[in-house]
Amino acid sequence: MLTSISCREETTDSVGCSVQKHHRIMLGLRSVAARSSSRILTTRCLAAMSTSTSNPSSPIVELRQYQLHPAAAATYTKNTIQSSDLRKNLPLAFFGFPETGYIALNTAVHLYHYPEGTRQRKDERAALAKKDEWKQYLGGVKECMMQQKSEIFVEAGLVQDFEQVTGLEYWIKNDGSINSGGESIVELRKYQLKLGYDTVPNFLKLYAQALPSKLNAIGTHPTTQLVTILVSDVGSLNTVYEVWKHGGESSCGMEAMEQSRQASRGTKEWRTGIAEIAQLATSFDTTILKPAAFSPLQ
C-alpha cells in the first residue's frame, strides 16, 4: 500500500529518546483527534442504523459471498479470472477466497464500493446483466454455486478521520498500480454486536479512541494496514467488519499479521478499548482471505 505509515525507527541513546518522545506526542495528538471525531462518528452511525431512511445517493459497500461446490470451485475460478475485466464494469474493490476462518472454504468473497449509493448499484448491475459476454459467463458458472448472499454496509466515519485508513475507493482508483506480490492476505474481522440503537455508535466511539495506539504500536509489521471499517445497513444488523491487509512481495501475510497482533497487545490503550468493546459484542470471528490476481485490493 502506498499510504503513509508511521515510522518505527531503530535508534539508540539520545536520538532514541527523542524519537520516543516524538512518538508519544504524536499518539497524544491523534488520541485527541480521535475523541473529537468520535462525536461525529456517533451522528453518522445513528443515521446509518435504519435502512428506511438511507439516502439513495449515499455511498454504500456491498459484500457478496458465493458458496461453491467443492468439485466445481476450480471451474468457477478459471471462468471468473477469464471474465475479470467484465466484472470491473462494477466498482470492484476486492475479490478472493478464504484460506481459513469462519467463512466456509470454497466461497468467493467480493466487495464493491458504490460512491453514488443504491441507485448506482441498481443501474450498473442492470447494465452489466444486459451484456452478452456477462450472460455467457453466468451460464458457465451458475451450476458451480450452491448459495449466494449479499449484504449492504456503509464505511464508518473514521475511514475519513484517520489518514492511515485508506478506504475501499482508494484501491479501485489505484487498480493495477499496486502490486503486493503473492504473499499478501486480507483479514476480515467480524464483530456481532448486541441489539440497540446506541450499540454501534458506542462501539465506534471506543474503537476510534483506541485505534491510534494500535496503528502506531511499536513492532507492528510495516505491511500491516487497516483498509476500512464497515457497518451493516441491510442484512444482519449491528454487524461491524474490520478489513486489514498484511504482507507483500517479500513478506508472508500470516507472519506479518501475527507480528502486528503481538505488537498491538502490548499497548495499554488498545487492550483497554477492546475490553470495553467486548462488553458490546455477542461474538467475534476472523477469516483470512487470499486475493485473486485481478483483485484491486491485494
Side-chain angles (χ1 to χ4, degrees):
M1 179 180 291
L2 300 181
T3 189
S4 61
I5 307 175
S6 60
C7 298
R8 292 145 184 120
E9 294 91 342
E10 295 180 359
T11 59
T12 59
D13 302 329
S14 61
V15 177
C17 294
S18 177
V19 170
Q20 292 173 5
K21 180 179 179 181
H22 175 73
H23 184 74
R24 289 196 297 271
I25 292 172
M26 291 304 296
L27 281 179
L29 290 174
R30 291 185 177 181
S31 179
V32 170
R35 287 195 294 273
S36 176
S37 65
S38 67
R39 292 191 292 271
I40 301 173
L41 294 174
T42 299
T43 302
R44 290 174 178 169
C45 290
L46 284 172
M49 289 294 291
S50 172
T51 59
S52 62
T53 59
S54 293
N55 187 332
S57 62
S58 297
I60 62 170
V61 173
E62 183 178 17
L63 169 62
R64 300 178 73 91
Q65 299 180 55
Y66 298 168
Q67 189 172 359
L68 310 175
H69 291 279
T75 299
Y76 175 90
T77 302
K78 178 182 177 181
N79 289 350
T80 298
I81 291 173
Q82 292 174 345
S83 303
S84 59
D85 287 342
L86 274 172
R87 186 178 298 278
K88 290 183 179 180
N89 282 275
L90 304 177
L92 178 69
F94 173 78
F95 196 105
F97 298 89
E99 288 195 338
T100 186
Y102 81 96
I103 296 179
L105 297 177
N106 298 312
T107 299
V109 178
H110 24 140
L111 285 165
Y112 302 87
H113 180 271
Y114 294 94
E116 298 175 18
T118 56
R119 290 176 181 170
Q120 179 190 1
R121 175 182 177 272
K122 177 183 177 181
D123 292 345
E124 292 189 358
R125 291 192 63 82
L128 181 59
K130 294 177 182 178
K131 293 182 178 290
D132 291 337
E133 302 97 318
W134 186 251
K135 294 177 182 177
Q136 183 178 356
Y137 162 72
L138 291 180
V141 301
K142 184 169 62 176
E143 299 302 321
C144 299
M145 296 180 282
M146 296 189 294
Q147 187 178 29
Q148 293 177 288
K149 181 179 180 181
S150 170
E151 296 176 288
I152 301 298
F153 293 79
V154 295
E155 286 191 302
L158 62 82
V159 175
Q160 287 78 44
D161 297 332
F162 287 85
E163 66 175 21
Q164 291 161 289
V165 185
T166 60
L168 292 173
E169 191 172 16
Y170 168 87
W171 294 92
I172 299 172
K173 291 180 176 179
N174 290 279
D175 183 20
S177 64
I178 302 174
N179 182 11
S180 297
E183 294 296 323
S184 64
I185 62 170
V186 169
E187 180 188 13
L188 203 59
R189 299 166 67 87
K190 177 185 177 184
Y191 299 85
Q192 186 59 54
L193 306 180
K194 297 176 182 178
L195 296 178
Y197 282 103
D198 294 334
T199 310
V200 171
N202 288 340
F203 171 96
L204 292 174
K205 179 180 179 180
L206 294 169
Y207 190 90
Q209 290 172 348
L211 182 59
S213 66
K214 180 169 185 174
L215 293 176
N216 298 289
I218 297 174
T220 299
H221 197 278
T223 63
T224 290
Q225 297 183 344
L226 178 58
V227 175
T228 191
I229 302 291
L230 302 176
V231 178
S232 58
D233 193 44
V234 179
S236 180
L237 296 182
N238 283 22
T239 301
V240 178
Y241 279 106
E242 293 176 273
V243 182
W244 291 83
K245 174 192 177 306
H246 308 277
E249 187 173 358
S250 60
S251 55
C252 172
M254 294 289 283
E255 293 176 0
M257 180 185 69
E258 184 57 32
Q259 178 178 325
S260 298
R261 282 183 176 179
Q262 292 298 328
S264 66
R265 289 166 186 164
T267 64
K268 180 181 178 181
E269 295 87 349
W270 181 250
R271 292 201 312 272
T272 300
I274 286 298
E276 294 181 277
I277 285 172
Q279 303 303 311
L280 302 175
T282 60
S283 64
F284 173 62
D285 301 287
T286 64
T287 299
I288 305 304
L289 300 165
K290 190 66 177 177
F294 61 86
S295 174
L297 171 58
Q298 290 283 336

